Amino acid sequence: MADNVDDASDMIELHLAAELAKAKPNLPPLTGSCYYCDALTDERFCDADCRDDYERLQRSVQMRKRG
């Protein structure tokens, strides 16, 4: 039978898993080209500038959806 410490530990574990799932970014799948400029690459983005621009664009889309 579980005691209070076990129950609290289980609750903390569930809470932590939920928070980590929310924090995990939704990355697009690898396609062989940059998601922002379509340049050929083995990664999702050809450089940090394209990654930053893509993330900025995604944030602005989310902001428009929220109102």
Side-chain angles (χ1 to χ4, degrees):
M1 187 173 216
D3 62 0
N4 290 340
V5 174
D6 290 332
D7 291 340
S9 178
D10 291 342
M11 291 296 290
I12 290 171
E13 219 172 290
L14 286 173
H15 180 69
L16 181 59
E19 291 299 316
L20 287 174
K22 283 194 272 182
K24 187 183 289 187
N26 293 329
L27 296 175
L30 295 173
T31 62
S33 63
C34 176
Y35 265 84
Y36 191 73
C37 73
D38 291 328
L40 294 178
T41 182
D42 293 332
E43 302 295 325
R44 289 174 178 84
F45 303 101
C46 60
D47 61 17
D49 290 333
C50 281
R51 180 200 63 220
D52 294 345
D53 290 343
Y54 177 84
E55 289 173 353
R56 192 175 302 113
L57 178 66
Q58 294 303 310
R59 281 193 302 270
S60 69
V61 167
Q62 290 298 320
M63 294 294 276
R64 281 191 292 249
K65 285 182 181 178
R66 292 181 188 159

